Amino acid sequence: MSQAWFSRYAWGVLVWNILVALWGAYVRATGSGAGCGSHWPTCNGEIIPRSPQVETLIEFTHRATSGLAFLSVLFLALLAFRLFSKGHPARLSSGVAFLFMITESLVGASLVLFGWTAHNVSAARAVVQMVHLANTYFLLASLVLTAWWASGGAPLRLRGQGAVGAALLLGLLALLFLGMSGAVTALGDLLFPVRNTLEALERSLTPGEHFLVRLRVLHPLIAVSVGLYVVFAGYLVAHLRPSSHTRRFAHALAYLYGVQLLVGLVNVWLKAPVWMQILHLLLAYAVWLLFILLSAAALAQGARRVELGEGTEAAHRGTGGATWKDYLALTKPRVISLLLFTTLLAMLIAAKGWPGTGLFLVVALGGYMMAGAANAINMVVDRDIDARMRRTAKRPTVTQRISSRDALLFAFGLALLAFLLLWWGANLLSATLALMGLIWYVLVYTLYLKRRTWQNIVIGGAAGAFPPLVGWTAVTGELSLFAWYLFALIFFWTPVHFWALALMIQDDYRAVGVPMLPVVLGERVTVMQIALYAVLTALISLMPLLLGELGLVYFFFSLTLNALLILKSLALYRQPERRTAVSLYKYSMLYLALLFVAMAVDRVL
């Protein structure tokens, strides 16, 4: 038997086990798990049931196909040890796959023997469902790695991977956690069906309801937050470990997860019919396996490691001697200050007063850490152009007081702690929105738009509009129309603020080839765009008055602030020079801060 034949067989075994796992989900979703009674491995005391009911036929078919899957994995492991030499990774992965196949069989047997089937609502059943899902994930991961390595994939190099290894490990754990939460949610859908989505939400928030009902509402938010991170990690890893495989897997992961979220929404809307549950689980398996393949390609021996300068002119290993001030500089405290200010003022606006000292401090710390993590990653990605710009030439990643590897580890640590802190101290929605801001800044702005189009700051600037949403949801737990107004205000304010800065340092941007608006279309177009966005910002700032959310205090403050913003924009239009650009740039920061103060004062009074 050739290794090429073995490769095809390995992929076939993977597909077969996916189908068997999906049929097992069908058994659970249709309540057929007790179709063979409490007997195992026999079915109702018989090897082959006679005159079976539909439920018995479904359960017996699952057991028969599972037996064939067991034999296929055993045969795979035996062939791997015969065909490949000692030390080949396919031998290890196939052996591990067989071990997980054994535990898969034992977990399945325990469900039957202990009666954790049909309408059993015990906590033990929920725990075993999560263990079953995790074991299936590990089994499929072992099988896909066997097929990958049998097809010519390079062995793994786990040592020295730094932040890339940490990011991938966190992604795998997050997907595993998401899958386990999905298993519990699916069990809740089976045991506690609802007529509509509103009823599901109301019951999830009702004290005294069964824990399976109350946990159901968390799964969609977990899915969004994990999806954001997985897509982010995929693209960042593809940037730091560039190859045709990592890029292909990162793109496929992003598209597939988008489809998965859409299917999840439809599943909720349709009240989780069996066929939608199966499709949802199939996509979950596909996302998991794609992330496994991305990890295998990124951590392969011989893979180029960009953050260590492999294959480039400059090394980024760091010179050592970094102090806490250098790590603080990674977070860009001056840039964060205004973002954090809008976050905390949004809390006062939402609460119409003091939101509570504990919550205030949690959001302040968590918000700073998440924004600081985004800025640290930005410094690593942009270190090549930062080194050639006067404004950024002293950043610690440029001077190499901090290596790119350490900067990324620091950033991922900050982001993880920030997410957990916001989830614990505020709520999951706030943590998810904070993570969304980081991902928008790193992926959309830094990695995709910044070096491609002059619209970079218009679209990418949305990252700076997420902080008020974090503050608002920390207090209210939901996103109202007023919260989205705060988002829109910062979104349209950002071009006014940033393009004024771009006018001041356009020579730096031109030298490094970053297509900021003044570089691409010139100063006259830039000042016209600034004036247009200043007018739009002023109009949007008046919207809460029309909605009845704010009163006279805000009205008079906003009129004064908007008049000055438009006047300074017009002054820049008449005299597009550094002096007027500096004046508008500095005032734009004061404008936004005072506008938020005016809203907070008006809501409190």
Side-chain angles (χ1 to χ4, degrees), residues 140-294:
L140 297 180
S142 303
L143 291 174
V144 78
L145 287 176
T146 301
W148 170 257
W149 285 323
S151 302
L156 299 183
R157 177 176 60 177
L158 298 179
R159 296 185 62 181
Q161 295 291 351
V164 169
L168 291 171
L169 176 61
L170 181 58
L172 292 171
L173 292 175
L175 284 173
L176 184 63
F177 177 68
L178 172 61
M180 294 167 72
S181 77
V184 173
T185 302
L187 185 61
D189 290 335
L190 170 67
L191 299 176
F192 302 96
V194 293
R195 291 186 300 272
N196 54 59
T197 305
L198 180 61
E199 180 189 346
L201 180 61
E202 290 175 348
R203 291 181 63 182
S204 298
L205 299 176
T206 302
E209 277 282 6
H210 195 275
F211 74 96
L212 288 174
V213 177
R214 302 193 68 187
L215 288 176
R216 181 185 290 162
V217 71
L218 290 177
H219 181 65
L221 276 177
I222 294 173
V224 172
S225 58
V226 169
L228 288 170
Y229 175 76
V230 164
V231 172
F232 162 72
Y235 278 115
L236 186 62
V237 166
H239 174 77
L240 297 173
R241 298 288 186 275
S243 72
S244 60
H245 285 124
T246 55
R247 285 190 290 269
R248 189 181 304 119
F249 290 143
H251 285 309
L253 193 61
Y255 295 138
L256 189 62
Y257 206 96
V259 173
Q260 171 73 318
L261 288 179
L262 180 61
V263 169
L265 288 173
V266 175
N267 189 41
V268 172
W269 181 54
L270 295 178
K271 300 182 290 295
V274 173
W275 68 273
M276 280 297 298
Q277 291 186 49
I278 301 302
L279 176 60
H280 198 37
L281 182 60
L282 173 62
L283 291 173
Y285 288 157
V287 168
W288 168 256
L289 294 176
L290 268 177
F291 201 82
I292 293 290
L293 290 172
L294 171 68

